[in-house]
Amino acid sequence: TGNMVEWCLPQDIDLEGVEFKSMASGSHKIQSDFIYFRKGPFFGLACFANMPVASELERGARMKSVGILSPSYTLLYRYMHFLENQVRHQLETPGHYSHLAAFYEDKKGVLHAGPGRGGSLPPVYWLPSIHRYMYPEMKITHPAGCMSQFIKFFGEQILILWKFALLRKRILIFSPPPVGVVCYRVYCCCCLANVSLPGIGGTIPESKPFFYVNVADIESLEVEVSYVACTTEKIFEEKRELYDVYVDNQNVKTHHDHLQPLLKINSADREKYRRLNEQRQMLLYSQELEEDYTPCEEDLFVLFFLEQNNRIFQTLLEVSASQDKTLTAEHARGMGLDPQGDRSFLMDLLEAYGIDVMLVIDNPCCP
């Protein structure tokens, strides 16, 4: 019968499309997976498993996903173990929902809008707010090591993704299943764009993790101006109107001519990547020494890009508040950018954030 919702609590919740979001296309080829997704104002986490069965009716395989929805994705990860156990339980003894019902009764307060809110939708929480100091929250958002995997996987390319994330471009990451680890890449990509300066970002959409999307999401993606998502469906590559940046494994590409210069790694990018790796090495060394307080790699990664972003916007704000509003090559170097190599990135940044500054970095026609 294809994908269908077999059981849910509460029974009156709108779950249209969730049967496709919680089971990635192509999952029949793998034994198990997990998947993050968005459903309206909620975020979901589902665990998938595939078990061979000696049944012609089931065509030799039984596949299920067990998932939960929450107003925020930051707490979903802590229930991963429960969901993995439950999906195995559902495959082995189908139709027994008492554990799931008990879990729902225990946790259900989370989905309510709260007293005095009436029927209004709960707020959608994107990235854990940096102002509330996100580190304790981040440690439970995703497993330790997801950032280091991200850096190892993309290498210097993360500097290209960083620029696109900061410009709030629509970023779509393609990968065949399993998709769980790719959902982490979506999350890490959004972490590249954190800025904690007041007054920045009021005019620009938030960096939204959409996590897994499939053809059922096409209509909702058509109206989005900024998102980061992943998919297992190759058909998306042809639907260029849905994305600005397409990432196929480690290959980052864009079909927009004006964004092509951002795909080139320049000397300032290499310097940033060298510094990031240097800091990671120092962190690993201090962890070996077992010093009392050593931050984890997740903290280091987020802080590295947060400080980088803050430095850029601090400089831009200062220049825009000055009398001549002139941004020079010296300013660009001070922000950790390459005056020539990052010229088009700076132009796009000023436009995207509506910062009134005049760029006087010449575009050299000769060396």
Side-chain angles (χ1 to χ4, degrees):
T1 48
N3 294 21
M4 54 180 276
V5 176
E6 174 186 325
W7 180 89
C8 72
L9 273 181
Q11 282 159 357
D12 58 352
I13 192 167
D14 168 26
L15 291 178
E16 189 191 347
V18 85
E19 66 273 30
F20 297 104
K21 291 171 183 287
S22 57
M23 214 177 266
S25 300
S27 289
H28 59 279
K29 297 174 187 161
I30 57 173
Q31 293 307 302
S32 63
D33 199 4
F34 62 94
I35 192 164
Y36 282 82
F37 58 91
R38 254 193 77 204
K39 167 66 181 146
F42 300 124
F43 289 93
L45 169 63
C47 286
F48 164 85
N50 179 356
M51 183 175 85
V53 286
S55 156
E56 278 186 36
L57 186 67
E58 294 182 79
R59 292 184 292 182
R62 185 179 296 159
M63 290 173 262
K64 291 181 192 273
S65 266
V66 176
I68 51 177
L69 289 171
S70 163
S72 162
Y73 65 81
T74 56
L75 301 179
L76 288 173
Y77 174 69
R78 58 165 62 166
Y79 304 117
M80 177 93 79
H81 190 57
F82 170 78
L83 295 174
E84 284 172 341
N85 286 338
Q86 283 306 305
V87 73
R88 188 53 54 196
H89 177 67
Q90 287 302 318
L91 288 176
E92 288 162 4
T93 53
H96 293 268
Y97 308 117
S98 56
H99 291 311
L100 294 173
F103 175 87
Y104 172 73
E105 286 305 319
D106 186 36
K107 311 287 181 196
K108 66 180 177 184
V110 180
L111 276 186
H112 290 178
R117 295 281 297 280
S120 66
L121 287 173
V124 176
Y125 302 105
W126 301 120
L127 281 175
S129 167
I130 202 99
H131 304 296
R132 288 179 316 181
Y133 246 59
M134 65 199 286
Y135 310 116
E137 212 166 286
M138 273 195 62
K139 286 194 176 68
I140 52 163
T141 303
H142 287 92
C146 88
M147 298 287 185
S148 57
Q149 292 292 337
F150 181 68
I151 296 170
K152 279 179 194 147
F153 185 78
F154 284 111
E156 287 181 342
Q157 300 267 71
I158 59 169
L159 277 314
I160 293 172
L161 290 172
W162 161 68
K163 290 174 195 178
F164 287 130
L166 208 54
L167 292 171
R168 297 295 192 268
K169 295 302 176 191
R170 296 169 302 166
I171 301 171
L172 185 63
I173 303 172
F174 167 79
S175 174
V179 79
V181 68
V182 195
C183 289
Y184 289 155
R185 285 175 204 153
V186 168
Y187 167 73
C188 293
C189 217
C190 287
C191 285
L192 297 172
N194 278 320
V195 182
S196 66
L197 293 179
I200 286 291
T203 56
I204 196 161
E206 290 180 89
S207 186
K208 298 179 188 176
F210 269 49
F211 297 110
Y212 177 74
V213 294
N214 62 13
V215 287
D217 295 297
I218 284 176
E219 271 185 34
S220 61
L221 286 180
E222 278 171 343
V223 297
E224 288 297 332
V225 291
S226 169
Y227 69 80
V228 185
C230 61
T231 188
T232 55
E233 300 190 29
K234 202 77 175 142
I235 183 82
F236 270 99
E237 188 170 7
E238 295 163 30
K239 300 192 174 296
R240 292 176 155 197
E241 70 283 2
L242 295 179
Y243 62 84
D244 302 309
V245 181
Y246 188 81
V247 184
D248 185 344
N249 279 316
Q250 283 124 317
N251 183 18
V252 183
K253 51 191 176 180
T254 176
H255 52 275
H256 296 302
D257 289 343
H258 74 282
L259 294 178
Q260 295 294 337
L262 274 68
L263 295 174
K264 294 190 184 79
I265 298 273
N266 60 48
S267 57
D269 295 330
R270 289 198 180 90
E271 173 57 23
K272 275 193 279 291
Y273 188 66
R274 188 193 61 74
R275 273 204 353 261
L276 177 61
N277 273 322
E278 208 171 69
Q279 289 182 23
R280 287 175 66 216
Q281 290 308 319
M282 283 165 65
L283 176 72
L284 295 172
Y285 177 66
S286 64
Q287 283 171 344
E288 278 174 24
L289 295 177
E290 292 183 19
E291 291 176 6
D292 286 346
Y293 174 72
T294 50
C296 71
E297 203 165 3
E298 268 54 22
D299 300 356
L300 178 127
F301 180 91
V302 170
L303 267 176
F304 180 87
F305 284 98
L306 176 72
E307 285 169 357
Q308 176 65 48
N309 298 343
N310 282 353
R311 181 161 32 132
I312 287 174
F313 286 110
Q314 186 68 50
T315 305
L316 293 179
L317 290 177
E318 283 169 9
V319 172
S320 71
S322 69
Q323 272 189 313
D324 65 354
K325 297 184 186 301
T326 304
L327 192 72
T328 65
E330 207 46 55
H331 285 126
R333 279 190 282 271
M335 292 187 279
L337 298 176
D338 182 315
Q340 261 76 47
D342 283 319
R343 191 174 192 278
S344 64
F345 168 58
L346 263 171
M347 301 276 281
D348 288 349
L349 203 63
L350 296 175
E351 189 183 341
Y353 288 81
I355 298 172
D356 180 20
V357 159
M358 198 169 64
L359 203 59
V360 294
I361 300 164
D362 296 327
N363 217 352
C365 55
C366 46

